Amino acid sequence: MVAGCYIVCLGLLGAVFPAHNVRHGEITEHDMAHYRDRVKSMFYHAYNNYLDNAFPYDELRPLTCDGQDTWGSFSLTLIDALDTLLIIGNISEFQRVVNVLQDTVDFDIDVNASVFETNIRWVGGLLSAHLLSKRAGLELETGWPCSGPLLRMAEDAARKLLPAFDTLTGMPYGTVNLLNGVNPTETPVTCTAGIGTYIIEFATLSRLTGDPVFERVARRALKGLWESRSEIGLVGNHIDVVTSKWVAQDAGIGAGVDSYFEYLVKGAILLQDEEMMSMFLEYNTAIQNYTKYDDWYVWVQMYKGTVSMPIFQSLEAFWPGLQSLIGDIGNAMKTFHNYYTVWKQFGGLPEFYNIPQGFTVDKREGYPLRQELIESAMYLYRATKDPVLLEMGRDAVESIEKISKVDCGYASVKDVRDHKLDNRMESFFLAETVKYLYLLFDPDNFIHNDGSDFDLVVTPYGECVVGAGGYVFNTEAHPIDPAALHCCKRDNAEKWEMEDLVKEFFSGKKRTETIRKASKDQNYKGFYSTSSQNTTKTRRRSLLRCPSQPFTSKLSVLGQVFLD
């Protein structure tokens, strides 16, 4: 495999897009602010055109300035853009959209919906917005984050998906009718990612609502895939969820498989689950042994390990970011540079790229404004502060503005060779691409909180931390607050006596009875701010800052501990 042959067309495209071949000077803080503003302007150009020309359809068609339904007719772009609004600082529009969604969304309709897409976009988007409601200044129900209208909407959507998981293997069907369940004629063949991409959303639902069924079915689906891996430790692309027989036996890290690996890592981080991390690390060993060549990853036969497709898919560009989460920075940066070279060759990543030939694959030349390479740049910049990662973000802004911007939004690129456009702006452009770009250029965003800033809330189950950072993004870039998952444990009431002892150790006096009383009658005045909606502790800076400590240790400051 000759890694150098991918540069054969750089000269050809230099005239079309010369900026990609020139290394600019170092990006300064002033440049960072400039690109934050540019990204924010990109968001509003796309978002406002969606509202003006496409709402209530799912997506905007930017070339004809109208809309279309693609994933069930739920105004999908609106929910996908919701947490991005808060991240870029538009609190008032976040609040308005929440009210619109509560008034208009109804999942009791006769629609065949993708289980995977409904989960990552709707369930994930609603859960993220629910957990960000306090920061957004929404009126909170008593008991938040263990209750709330957005949480109930997410639970309602997830319950519509549960019939898909009713199989002997535990692996779900790919499509479900939201009114009638799984169609008797539904195909049992589902892609690997469509089976293994639920643990983040479903575990969050179970931890917040107290209903274990969601986390249980997600874990069972993960187990079904794990038990179906080949003897050399690989999984294929599509499997029969009834018989557990692999239908497509190509193994790789791209389309059809990608978010399964992503959710093993992020699920392990979110839930502090050693078993999930062990599963990923075993997969990773097989991936490195059989699919990696010269810091590229190819597709191989899952039982033999022989190369079946020497192809780089744009969806694989998430992998360096995932590697950063397990600390494999060196290998991540090498692979990132390979992928970035492809970007500079075309001004975007084609869906398929033939590695030996160094060019696009027939009928796979498009770039639908995906975020994966930008996502990896954001993660790696947080880990390394390498300026080349900011350069990639800058190139992405310039490319998208130059190639894809039209009067009514941003159009997908039909062909990266000549930059012809397609009449579609997918909802993930606002959910992921713009969000990761903004976070790359905004190092002080609340999403990047290192645990030194947080809120304390009192729920019916005790006192807990929220908003302390460590957010885990689902595969649609909807951030989940991991601390909130500890707020709603039904057995917390039985731990008051132990908490009394721990707090007495840290503070020298007992306040638990007072706090418990405040959580019941909400009449307590003093250190805790009180409202008719929720009892919260005022935001403050931690007196102890230990950046080298793990996330759970940061949450132990000032006697605030998790007792499980």
Side-chain angles (χ1 to χ4, degrees):
M1 184 87 44
V2 182
C5 61
Y6 52 75
I7 62 173
V8 293
C9 296
L10 274 173
L12 176 64
L13 281 146
V16 178
F17 208 78
H20 296 308
N21 299 309
V22 179
R23 184 181 179 90
H24 300 278
E26 182 178 347
I27 293 179
T28 65
E29 290 188 11
H30 179 269
D31 296 328
M32 297 273 279
H34 168 74
Y35 280 103
R36 278 200 300 276
D37 291 340
R38 290 274 300 275
V39 174
K40 190 178 291 189
S41 295
M42 288 171 61
F43 175 87
Y44 284 120
H45 180 65
Y47 181 76
N48 290 336
N49 272 288
Y50 167 76
L51 293 180
D52 293 341
N53 299 297
F55 178 78
Y57 291 103
D58 281 338
E59 292 179 349
L60 170 68
R61 298 204 304 171
L63 300 185
T64 52
C65 300
D66 56 12
Q68 65 179 345
D69 285 330
T70 51
W71 297 111
S73 188
F74 294 116
S75 305
L76 184 60
T77 295
L78 203 59
I79 181 61
D80 255 353
L82 184 53
D83 47 37
T84 308
L85 283 166
L86 190 61
I87 285 171
I88 67 174
N90 195 334
I91 292 175
S92 60
E93 181 65 3
F94 181 97
Q95 295 172 342
R96 187 191 73 82
V97 172
V98 166
N99 291 329
V100 169
L101 294 174
Q102 291 182 58
D103 293 339
T104 59
V105 173
D106 180 11
F107 294 108
D108 290 321
I109 57 175
D110 186 6
V111 168
N112 292 323
S114 164
V115 181
F116 170 85
E117 299 289 352
T118 303
N119 175 60
I120 66 170
R121 298 174 188 241
W122 266 106
V123 179
L126 289 168
L127 285 173
S128 176
H130 166 71
L131 293 175
L132 293 172
S133 293
K134 188 177 188 304
R135 174 171 287 276
L138 291 175
E139 189 174 358
L140 303 176
E141 286 187 3
T142 301
W144 180 92
C146 311
S147 64
L150 294 175
L151 178 61
R152 287 189 289 273
M153 290 173 66
E155 182 179 5
D156 184 28
R159 288 198 185 279
K160 296 292 185 180
L161 306 181
L162 287 179
F165 291 82
D166 188 15
T167 64
L168 291 177
T169 64
M171 296 184 285
Y173 286 92
T175 303
V176 66
N177 185 282
L178 298 183
L179 198 61
N180 303 310
V182 178
N183 191 305
T185 61
E186 177 64 30
T187 176
V189 177
T190 307
C191 71
T192 302
I195 293 168
T197 310
Y198 301 95
I199 191 64
I200 291 176
E201 299 84 2
F202 277 30
T204 298
L205 263 178
S206 286
R207 303 296 175 97
L208 295 179
T209 66
D211 188 340
V213 64
F214 302 106
E215 185 172 345
R216 184 185 302 133
V217 299
R219 287 184 179 275
R220 188 165 178 246
L222 290 177
K223 183 180 179 182
L225 282 174
W226 176 249
E227 293 177 345
S228 301
R229 69 195 188 282
S230 69
E231 290 185 359
I232 62 174
L234 297 172
V235 290
N237 202 279
H238 284 74
I239 192 171
D240 188 313
V241 300
V242 174
T243 65
S244 295
K245 292 184 178 180
W246 290 99
V247 176
Q249 299 180 0
D250 294 305
I253 61 171
V257 184
D258 47 2
S259 54
Y260 170 45
F261 297 135
E262 177 187 2
Y263 271 44
L264 286 176
V265 173
K266 292 182 176 179
I269 294 170
L270 180 68
L271 305 174
Q272 296 294 289
D273 190 295
E274 294 182 6
E275 182 182 15
M276 266 188 268
M277 184 60 76
S278 295
M279 290 164 66
F280 173 78
L281 293 176
E282 187 168 328
Y283 278 131
N284 190 45
T285 298
I287 289 167
Q288 302 301 319
N289 286 340
Y290 293 103
T291 75
K292 184 178 179 180
Y293 291 85
D294 293 334
D295 299 310
W296 295 92
Y297 293 85
V298 300
W299 291 81
V300 302
Q301 211 283 338
M302 64 175 289
Y303 292 105
K304 300 177 182 179
T306 53
V307 176
S308 58
M309 292 188 296
I311 299 297
F312 159 59
Q313 299 179 354
S314 62
L315 287 169
E316 297 172 13
F318 85 103
W319 188 257
L322 192 69
Q323 287 179 301
S324 76
L325 293 179
I326 63 169
D328 192 5
I329 303 298
N331 285 319
M333 287 298 294
K334 291 176 184 177
T335 297
F336 178 87
H337 279 287
N338 280 349
Y339 297 166
Y340 184 23
T341 303
V342 178
W343 179 288
K344 289 187 285 188
Q345 182 177 346
F346 297 106
L349 292 183
E351 292 286 64
F352 283 22
Y353 180 84
N354 188 300
I355 299 170
Q357 295 179 4
F359 208 61
T360 59
V361 175
D362 188 40
K363 297 181 180 180
R364 293 293 187 273
E365 304 95 345
Y367 169 57
L369 306 182
R370 294 194 187 279
Q371 87 296 339
E372 280 78 10
L373 189 62
I374 301 164
E375 173 186 356
S376 285
M378 190 276 289
Y379 278 114
L380 285 167
Y381 185 71
R382 298 300 302 171
T384 68
K385 297 299 186 289
D386 189 327
V388 75
L389 300 160
L390 297 178
E391 293 174 15
M392 188 278 139
R394 177 197 59 205
D395 287 353
V397 173
E398 301 294 350
S399 296
I400 293 170
E401 287 277 274
K402 183 177 180 69
I403 298 170
S404 295
K405 188 175 183 179
V406 294
D407 290 342
C408 289
Y410 292 88
S412 297
V413 181
K414 182 182 292 186
D415 192 327
V416 296
R417 297 171 300 179
D418 55 17
H419 297 161
K420 289 182 179 178
L421 300 179
D422 196 9
N423 192 20
R424 186 175 185 184
M425 187 184 80
E426 298 217 38
S427 68
F428 59 65
F429 178 66
L430 294 179
E432 303 182 78
T433 308
V434 172
K435 182 183 294 163
Y436 284 127
L437 272 174
Y438 192 81
L439 290 172
L440 175 62
F441 292 114
D442 188 16
D444 297 324
N445 196 277
F446 75 89
I447 288 291
H448 298 316
N449 182 8
D450 64 0
S452 60
D453 193 25
F454 56 87
D455 281 326
L456 296 180
V457 299
V458 176
T459 76
Y461 313 103
E463 183 185 17
C464 68
V465 165
V466 295
Y471 291 91
V472 175
F473 289 97
N474 85 337
T475 198
E476 192 75 2
H478 296 306
I480 300 297
D481 182 355
L485 273 62
H486 297 267
C487 291
C488 308
K489 295 186 176 181
R490 270 57 185 172
D491 61 346
N492 277 358
E494 301 175 3
K495 298 179 179 178
W496 280 104
E497 184 176 355
M498 178 62 73
E499 189 167 343
D500 280 338
L501 295 174
V502 175
K503 288 190 174 184
E504 183 177 11
F505 174 80
F506 280 101
S507 64
K509 61 179 180 178
K510 292 187 180 182
R511 294 185 290 117
T512 304
E513 289 300 326
T514 308
I515 298 169
R516 187 188 305 134
K517 183 177 184 296
S519 68
K520 292 180 179 178
D521 60 26
Q522 298 189 353
N523 291 323
Y524 179 70
K525 306 292 184 180
F527 190 75
Y528 291 88
S529 60
T530 309
S531 72
S532 59
Q533 295 299 319
N534 202 40
T535 304
T536 65
K537 219 172 191 179
T538 53
R539 182 174 289 271
R540 61 184 179 180
R541 289 282 172 178
S542 170
L543 299 180
L544 301 176
R545 276 191 77 190
C546 302
S548 62
Q549 289 181 319
F551 179 73
T552 49
S553 295
K554 293 176 184 176
L555 297 181
S556 298
V557 298
L558 299 179
Q560 172 58 36
V561 298
F562 295 146
L563 299 171
D564 57 332

